[in-house]
Amino acid sequence: MLSTSSTRKWTNLRNRAFLPAGLVLLSALALAVLFRLLTPSIRLASSSSPGPSDSRRAYEGPYPNVAPHVRYVGDARCLGCHNDIAQSYARHPMGRSLVPIEALLDQQRYTSDTQNPFTSLGRRFEVVRHGKRLWHRQAVLDGSGKPVVGLDLEVQWAVGSGAKGYSYLFERGGYLFQTPISWFTQQQCWDLSPGFGPNVLTGRLVGASCLYCHANRVLEDPEQPNRFVPPIFDGLAIGCERCHGPGERHIDSADRWDIVNPARLPPPLRDAVCEQCHLEGEARVLRAGRQLFDYRPGLPLHDFWAVVVQGRHNDKDAKAVNHVEQMYQSKCFTKAVDGVKLGCITCHDPHVPIGPDQRQTYYRPKCLLCHDGTKEASVCSEPLLRRKQVSPPDSCINCHMPRYRSWDVAHTATTDHRILRRPEGHDAAPPGKNGIAPVGPPQLDNAILVDFYRDRFPEGDPQ
């Protein structure tokens, strides 16, 4: 909280420089928005290519709620019958992917030991709370380190579960922008948001496609791409229907086949439910005739999205949201055991949050589903004494799915999903802070871009 004298000094300083600096900042912001609006969106496929038939209408499977006329009902309608699951899911990172800032204010720290304020790119950045409101403040510094002009951005939403950190959004004229300040949980500090530089310090425009995996659904202006209409969000955090499909029929009938259960889907369709967000790629392009939220669980994802990835398969592929590409390189994933095909939900229960202290005891039984010595896959070949020297709790994932520091998001770590039998690359890497090996940018194979689902299109597909 600022004192009265500090506030008066700040106000006088800002008023002296307000007119010229304000005009510069407003002009830059207007040009940024105009440039974005005039730039062709990556979500628009070529109009010269005929779109594929609508698989929602052609669907002949057991789940009628994939039809486009079936309406979404919202999470509140699920609570009556599924309250226990809903309460557990509310603690899961997906259930906390977007919150109004008021819900987070009392949980965050703003003291100097959290690097508040901090200096970067010749500016001072500060997080300031006043009651139930929060501002991200920045000031341009002169050669002596004194502020010469300032900008205050009032935060309205926090994006992220907090497991790795938060980024923050504010709204102007129907457009959403990310502030240049983020919270990094592992380091317990405030710092510059990833990707921000000298030319993007007044706020980065956040489009609808960016919110696809951070919000339940958004209400986009049909005439103005990336501009939103009130209340902007149709549900905040990722909701039940993003994985189970629209609930209107199920609410009316209570028939279990009127709602998609991903566990009952064939492996490619089961994994597509997770891949709608966890397969990031270099770019994601909507197929012709598709809208952002047209995909329904139970349908092939490639009917709706082209996910462009680098043509690479090597041990340096370590982007922060790249678990799917890594899994497709794993023999555990590509080879079924006793007819059982490993998938995302084999190990991850999307309804149950798993804390850091639970990882080893929770995931070891998942490995032993296949590696118990009675099936085609055998138990670990390393002697027990050697295993306990490396990992006292005899954790499978400590050796075969080591954590590493990602090169593309600062202050975060992630887990190697290639499930290597002998992860020599990680063993040979110099030890990093907290025992997490640093991993550099991926080595590209001639930077070839390919569609991740290229082997699933029918021959002669025009797109």
Side-chain angles (χ1 to χ4, degrees):
M1 185 73 71
L2 297 180
S3 67
T4 302
S5 59
S6 298
T7 302
R8 186 178 300 113
K9 290 178 181 178
W10 179 269
T11 302
N12 292 338
L13 175 64
R14 184 173 53 190
N15 288 343
R16 288 199 298 269
F18 176 77
L19 182 58
L23 289 174
V24 170
L25 291 173
L26 288 174
S27 299
L29 189 59
L31 285 173
V33 173
L34 182 61
F35 175 79
R36 179 71 178 189
L37 292 176
L38 295 179
T39 302
S41 171
I42 198 170
R43 297 194 292 113
L44 300 178
S46 171
S47 58
S48 61
S49 300
S53 61
D54 192 337
S55 55
R56 297 173 301 171
R57 302 180 188 279
Y59 179 76
E60 296 180 351
Y63 297 105
N65 73 319
V66 305
H69 68 271
V70 181
R71 294 180 297 179
Y72 292 95
V73 297
D75 291 355
R77 300 293 301 276
C78 305
L79 297 180
C81 298
H82 305 285
N83 187 54
D84 290 345
I85 291 177
Q87 290 187 18
S88 176
Y89 178 74
R91 300 191 299 271
H92 192 281
M94 289 189 296
R96 297 180 284 120
S97 61
L98 179 73
V99 295
I101 193 60
E102 304 85 43
L104 197 61
L105 287 176
D106 292 338
Q107 303 174 35
Q108 298 211 288
R109 300 169 57 209
Y110 313 99
T111 50
S112 59
D113 63 324
T114 62
Q115 201 169 276
N116 184 38
F118 66 89
T119 303
S120 182
L121 302 174
R123 302 190 181 200
R124 186 179 66 202
F125 296 88
E126 186 176 11
V127 182
V128 180
R129 176 183 177 181
H130 285 295
K132 295 297 184 181
R133 302 171 73 181
L134 189 75
W135 280 267
H136 283 183
R137 172 172 292 170
Q138 59 179 287
V140 178
L141 306 178
D142 63 16
S144 63
K146 295 181 179 179
V148 294
V149 64
L151 175 67
D152 291 357
L153 302 173
E154 184 174 2
V155 175
Q156 292 162 284
W157 297 276
V159 177
S161 68
K164 295 184 178 180
Y166 294 103
S167 291
Y168 301 87
L169 304 180
F170 65 97
E171 182 266 339
R172 291 289 185 275
Y175 295 93
L176 293 179
F177 298 87
Q178 180 188 2
T179 76
I181 302 176
S182 287
W183 170 257
F184 296 91
T185 300
Q186 293 176 8
Q187 301 294 327
Q188 286 290 295
C189 72
W190 300 95
D191 208 340
L192 199 65
S193 299
F196 273 74
N199 299 322
V200 197
L201 287 174
T202 56
R204 176 193 287 137
L205 186 69
V206 176
S209 58
C210 295
L211 293 167
Y212 180 79
C213 294
H214 294 286
N216 189 46
R217 282 186 303 280
V218 294
L219 304 176
E220 190 176 12
D221 188 330
E223 302 299 326
Q224 302 182 66
N226 296 324
R227 187 174 189 270
F228 304 98
V229 297
I232 298 180
F233 298 107
D234 181 11
L236 293 173
I238 301 297
C240 310
E241 293 166 297
R242 285 295 298 274
C243 297
H244 296 280
E248 181 185 31
R249 288 182 60 103
H250 183 62
I251 290 293
D252 292 340
S253 70
D255 188 331
R256 68 173 187 162
W257 292 103
D258 276 338
I259 194 81
V260 170
N261 182 346
R264 295 198 292 259
L265 293 172
L269 300 182
R270 174 194 64 192
D271 295 333
V273 176
C274 305
E275 290 167 7
Q276 65 174 310
C277 285
H278 291 277
L279 175 59
E280 180 188 32
E282 302 301 320
R284 293 160 61 97
V285 186
L286 279 171
R287 301 200 74 188
R290 298 290 182 255
Q291 300 299 317
L292 187 60
F293 288 93
D294 279 355
Y295 167 73
R296 300 287 174 92
L299 297 175
L301 190 63
H302 64 265
D303 281 354
F304 300 85
W305 290 93
V307 183
V308 181
V309 299
Q310 295 281 3
R312 63 194 176 212
H313 291 286
N314 58 60
D315 292 348
K316 300 297 184 182
D317 188 3
K319 291 185 66 180
V321 188
N322 199 21
H323 299 146
V324 175
E325 285 187 78
Q326 291 178 352
M327 280 291 293
Y328 276 69
Q329 299 176 42
S330 168
K331 289 184 179 179
C332 289
F333 179 81
T334 58
K335 184 178 180 180
V337 175
D338 288 350
V340 177
K341 179 73 164 57
L342 178 71
C344 307
I345 60 176
T346 304
C347 301
H348 298 283
D349 185 338
H351 299 132
V352 179
I354 303 299
D357 57 335
Q358 300 172 293
R359 294 176 73 248
Q360 295 171 348
T361 56
Y362 178 83
Y363 290 114
R364 178 174 170 80
K366 305 295 184 182
C367 300
L368 296 181
L369 290 174
C370 295
H371 297 277
D372 65 354
T374 63
K375 298 184 179 181
E376 184 179 352
S378 61
V379 295
C380 186
S381 59
E382 289 286 346
L384 178 62
L385 180 61
R386 166 61 178 160
R387 300 202 306 264
K388 286 187 171 291
Q389 288 175 342
V390 176
S391 172
D394 193 17
S395 168
C396 304
I397 60 174
N398 277 4
C399 287
H400 299 283
M401 300 184 69
R403 302 186 76 196
Y404 59 86
R405 192 168 304 287
S406 172
W407 67 271
D408 61 339
V409 178
H411 307 312
T412 64
T414 188
T415 304
D416 191 335
H417 276 63
R418 293 171 299 159
I419 320 178
L420 298 177
R421 182 183 181 191
R422 298 185 182 280
E424 291 88 352
H426 288 283
D427 292 340
K433 188 175 181 180
N434 301 323
I436 301 172
V439 178
Q443 304 298 311
L444 308 183
D445 298 339
N446 299 322
I448 299 172
L449 294 173
V450 297
D451 191 323
F452 184 81
Y453 295 116
R454 58 194 177 278
D455 60 338
R456 303 187 191 182
F457 290 104
E459 185 176 354
D461 189 299
Q463 295 194 69

